[in-house]
């Protein structure tokens, strides 16, 4: 080894190698900054949207923010700038704790990994915050289209409630007009049930108010769809008579009207329902009855399908009703009529019924009517029609007559001759035989004991 080191040539070679190595190291250090600098780049990003955080949205709304976007310049390695997505550059506006009014606020930012912010324009923005208001409103459900032929649409039923809370900026609350939803029913034959619909708020011009917050935003709706029906009075027909000495004190049906379903042309012709009757001769004491309601003709359904009756029977009492006025009806416009007998133009009758009903009768509750329809001029014995309240009957069932004179209105008294009286007719208001009772006026029901209809 020593011989090698002492050799001059060998020493020169080693020195040359060391020199070359030092030169290479020095020149490599000179090139490193240029190589590193070539890996860093600068990028400008326009229209970065500002994100707001921290606003109490249950009480306030951000009415305005100026501007809404910013321009940023960033720096970083080319690979980082290339791989970063636009949404990775986040510029935020913290509104925590701010109330109503205008505010100037500094922006904050978060850059992607390996990227630095060089500049941001602007770095502050102006915001206007408005208070929110809430009020309760009714919900309306609108239907579109028409159901199947012959079916009708009922009133929509809303669950859980037909009232909701609407929250809006204070400046817009005065403009809200309605909260509603639309439900199609075209061609439906059955009720629409448990249909969930989204509610929308509208202003007075019918435009949607997009800022409105509706609670709850969705409701459940039921729309009844039924065949045509009509509510009509329930009229009871009575046959037979109560045993002597008894009277009806109260007669209470479970309903006074029924719903009849069927074609519309059939419903239009029905004014009342009278297809049930009660035989009074079978009732001897207070009782409860249940009567089915038969479906007749082209009627499809009747609701309810039966009716309950609560009937109270008590001992009857009698009462004489004096000086009842007699009414003339049906006279020809060209004729005039007057009562000749009885001269008082009144009559007395004896009636029977429950004590509280009989004792409460007034003169106006009983009508004595002489029907002069189709009668010519002359003197006539006209049978009186006796109209009595429910569950009151005449003690004497015989027909009562009244003597009526019918004359022409323009007849000359000097030449007037006395018309001949029909000798077959009774006089003085008394019957010669026991004739049939007078015909009832249209719309008046003849029943045993002059009972007509229900209470």
């Amino acid at each position: 080894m020593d011989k090698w080191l002492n050799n001059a040539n060998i020493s020169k070679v080693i020195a040359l190698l060391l020199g070359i190595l030092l030169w290479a190291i020095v020149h490599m250090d000179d090139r490193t900054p240029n190589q590193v600098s070539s890996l860093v780049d600068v990028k400008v990003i326009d229209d970065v949207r500002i994100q707001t955080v921290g606003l109490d949205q249950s009480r306030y709304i951000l009415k305005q923010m100026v501007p809404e976007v910013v321009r940023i310049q960033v720096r970083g390695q080319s690979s980082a700038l290339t791989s970063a997505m636009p949404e990775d550059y986040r510029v935020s506006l913290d509104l925590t704790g701010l109330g109503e009014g205008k505010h100037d606020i500094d922006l904050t930012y978060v850059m992607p990994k390996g990227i630095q912010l060089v500049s941001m324009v602007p770095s502050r923005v102006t915001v206007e915050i408005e208070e929110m208001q809430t009020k309760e409103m009714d919900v309306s459900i609108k239907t579109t289209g028409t159901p199947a032929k012959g079916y009708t649409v009922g009133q929509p039923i809303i669950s859980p409630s037909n009232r909701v809370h609407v929250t809006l900026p204070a400046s817009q609350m005065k403009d809200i007009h309605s909260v509603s939803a639309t439900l199609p029913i075209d061609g439906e034959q059955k009720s629409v049930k448990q249909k969930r619909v989204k509610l929308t708020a509208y202003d007075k011009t019918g435009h949607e108010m997009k800022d409105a917050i509706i609670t709850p935003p969705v409701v459940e709706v039921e729309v009844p769809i039924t065949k045509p029906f009509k509510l009509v009075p329930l009229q009871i027909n009575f046959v037979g008579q109560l045993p002597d000495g008894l009277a009806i004190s109260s007669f209470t049906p479970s309903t006074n009207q029924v719903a009849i379903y069927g074609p519309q042309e059939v419903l239009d012709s029905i004014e009342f329902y009278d297809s049930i009757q009660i035989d009074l001769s079978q009732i001897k004491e207070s009782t409860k009855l249940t009567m089915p309601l038969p479906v007749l003709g082209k009627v499809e359904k009747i609701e309810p399908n039966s009716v309950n009756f609560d009937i109270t029977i008590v001992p009857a009492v009698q009462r004489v009703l004096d000086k009842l006025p007699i009414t003339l009806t049906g006279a020809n416009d060209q004729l005039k009529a007057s009562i000749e007998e009885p001269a008082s133009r009144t009559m007395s009758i004896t009636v029977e019924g429950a004590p509280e009903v009989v004792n409460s009768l007034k003169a106006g509750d009983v009508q004595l009517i002489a029907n002069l329809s189709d009668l010519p001029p002359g003197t006539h014995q006209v049978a009186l029609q006796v109209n009595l309240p429910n569950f009151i009957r005449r003690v004497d069932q015989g027909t009562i007559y009244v003597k009526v004179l019918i004359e022409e209105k323009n007849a000359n008294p000097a030449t007037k001759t006395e018309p001949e009286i029909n000798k077959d007719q009774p006089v003085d208001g008394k019957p010669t035989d026991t004739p049939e009772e007078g015909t009832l006026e249209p719309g008046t029901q003849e029943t045993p004991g002059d009972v007509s209809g229900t209470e």
Side-chain angles (χ1 to χ4, degrees):
M1 177 65 72
D2 292 338
K3 290 180 179 181
W4 281 94
L5 295 175
N6 291 327
N7 191 316
N9 293 328
I10 299 275
S11 298
K12 291 179 181 179
V13 171
I14 293 173
L16 177 62
L17 292 174
L18 290 174
I20 293 171
L21 180 62
L22 289 173
W23 181 86
I25 291 172
V26 169
H27 284 280
M28 285 181 65
D29 290 341
D30 292 340
R31 289 195 301 272
T32 298
N34 293 332
Q35 291 174 346
V36 172
S37 63
S38 66
L39 298 177
V40 176
D41 201 355
V42 176
K43 184 177 182 180
V44 174
I45 305 174
D46 293 316
D47 299 332
V48 177
R49 186 160 295 277
I50 301 171
Q51 302 176 14
T52 60
V53 296
L55 181 65
D56 185 356
Q57 295 183 351
S58 64
R59 298 179 57 193
Y60 302 102
I61 186 174
L62 180 60
K63 184 177 180 181
Q64 189 178 39
M65 178 172 63
V66 181
E68 296 182 354
V69 295
V70 296
R71 180 179 183 273
I72 62 174
Q73 184 179 22
V74 295
R75 179 177 62 190
Q77 294 182 357
S78 298
S79 59
L81 293 176
T82 302
S83 61
M85 301 298 291
E87 56 269 20
D88 294 334
Y89 299 94
R90 289 179 291 177
V91 177
S92 302
L93 180 66
D94 190 358
L95 305 177
T96 302
L98 296 182
E100 187 174 23
K102 289 187 176 182
H103 308 273
D104 289 328
I105 307 172
D106 289 326
L107 295 173
T108 61
Y109 59 88
V110 176
M111 296 291 107
K113 186 177 180 180
I115 298 177
Q116 297 178 341
L117 178 69
V118 176
S119 65
M120 179 169 57
V121 180
S123 61
R124 291 173 62 85
V125 296
T126 300
V127 296
E128 183 177 356
I129 297 175
E130 186 175 2
E131 184 181 11
M132 300 289 283
Q133 292 183 352
T134 300
K135 77 173 182 178
E136 194 175 38
M137 295 190 66
D138 289 328
V139 174
S140 63
I141 302 298
K142 302 175 182 178
T143 57
T144 59
T146 56
K149 184 177 180 180
Y151 289 77
T152 57
V153 181
Q155 184 68 28
I157 302 169
I158 304 171
S159 298
S161 172
N162 67 334
R163 294 184 69 81
V164 295
H165 290 89
V166 181
T167 302
L168 273 169
S171 61
Q172 299 181 37
M173 185 60 76
K174 65 180 184 302
D175 298 325
I176 190 168
H177 179 260
S178 63
V179 177
S180 65
T182 301
L183 190 62
I185 58 164
D186 201 45
E188 293 288 349
Q189 297 183 2
K190 295 182 179 179
S191 296
V192 178
K193 296 183 177 180
Q194 297 180 341
K195 184 71 174 181
R196 292 171 61 84
V197 293
K198 183 178 181 298
L199 299 176
T200 304
Y202 296 95
D203 62 16
K204 297 175 183 178
T205 63
H207 291 91
E208 180 181 352
M209 301 188 72
K210 297 184 181 297
D211 292 335
I213 301 172
I214 304 174
T215 308
V218 176
V219 295
E220 197 170 87
V221 179
E222 176 180 345
V223 180
I225 297 179
T226 60
K227 288 187 176 181
F229 74 94
K230 184 178 183 179
L231 291 175
V232 297
L234 174 65
Q235 182 169 312
I236 311 302
N237 295 317
F238 294 93
V239 296
Q241 291 191 13
L242 289 174
D244 291 342
L246 296 181
I248 296 178
S249 173
S250 67
F251 180 87
T252 307
S254 57
T255 182
N256 289 313
Q257 61 181 7
V258 296
I260 299 178
Y261 293 80
Q264 192 61 53
E265 61 271 15
V266 174
L267 299 181
D268 292 340
S269 65
I270 299 175
E271 297 300 330
F272 53 85
Y273 180 86
D274 65 346
S275 296
I276 61 174
Q277 65 180 20
I278 295 177
D279 188 353
L280 297 178
S281 65
Q282 301 300 314
I283 300 177
K284 298 178 176 57
E285 60 184 8
S286 298
T287 186
K288 296 181 183 294
L289 296 178
T290 298
M291 303 289 292
L293 302 182
V295 178
L296 303 176
K298 295 184 178 180
V299 172
E300 298 177 3
K301 184 175 67 170
I302 296 177
E303 290 182 348
N305 56 15
S306 64
V307 179
N308 299 322
F309 299 97
D310 192 349
I311 306 174
T312 303
I313 303 297
V314 298
V317 298
Q318 296 184 0
R319 178 184 171 188
V320 177
L321 303 176
D322 293 319
K323 298 182 179 179
L324 297 174
I326 299 170
T327 302
L328 303 180
T329 63
N332 190 297
D333 291 341
Q334 304 300 319
L335 303 176
K336 62 180 180 178
S338 59
I339 299 174
E340 290 196 333
E341 294 180 6
S344 64
R345 297 182 176 83
T346 64
M347 196 167 287
S348 299
I349 62 172
T350 302
V351 297
E352 182 180 63
E356 61 270 28
V357 180
V358 169
N359 294 332
S360 64
L361 287 176
K362 303 182 293 293
D365 297 332
V366 179
Q367 295 177 332
L368 303 181
I369 299 174
N371 190 350
L372 309 182
S373 299
D374 301 325
L375 292 181
T379 301
H380 304 272
Q381 296 294 325
V382 181
L384 286 182
Q385 174 186 319
V386 182
N387 293 339
L388 296 170
N390 294 331
F391 313 124
I392 297 294
R393 64 186 179 188
R394 283 177 52 213
V395 174
D396 179 8
Q397 293 296 318
T399 305
I400 307 173
Y401 288 89
V402 62
K403 185 178 179 181
V404 178
L405 173 62
I406 300 178
E407 303 174 280
E408 294 183 3
K409 287 185 178 180
N410 57 358
N412 188 347
T415 61
K416 183 180 69 173
T417 59
E418 184 69 21
E420 233 182 77
I421 297 178
N422 186 341
K423 301 215 184 313
D424 293 332
Q425 289 183 330
V427 294
D428 298 328
K430 297 179 182 180
T432 56
D433 297 310
T434 307
E436 297 180 356
E437 292 195 8
T439 304
L440 301 182
E441 280 192 329
T444 303
Q445 179 183 1
E446 182 179 5
T447 58
D450 294 297
V451 178
S452 58
T454 61
E455 287 183 324

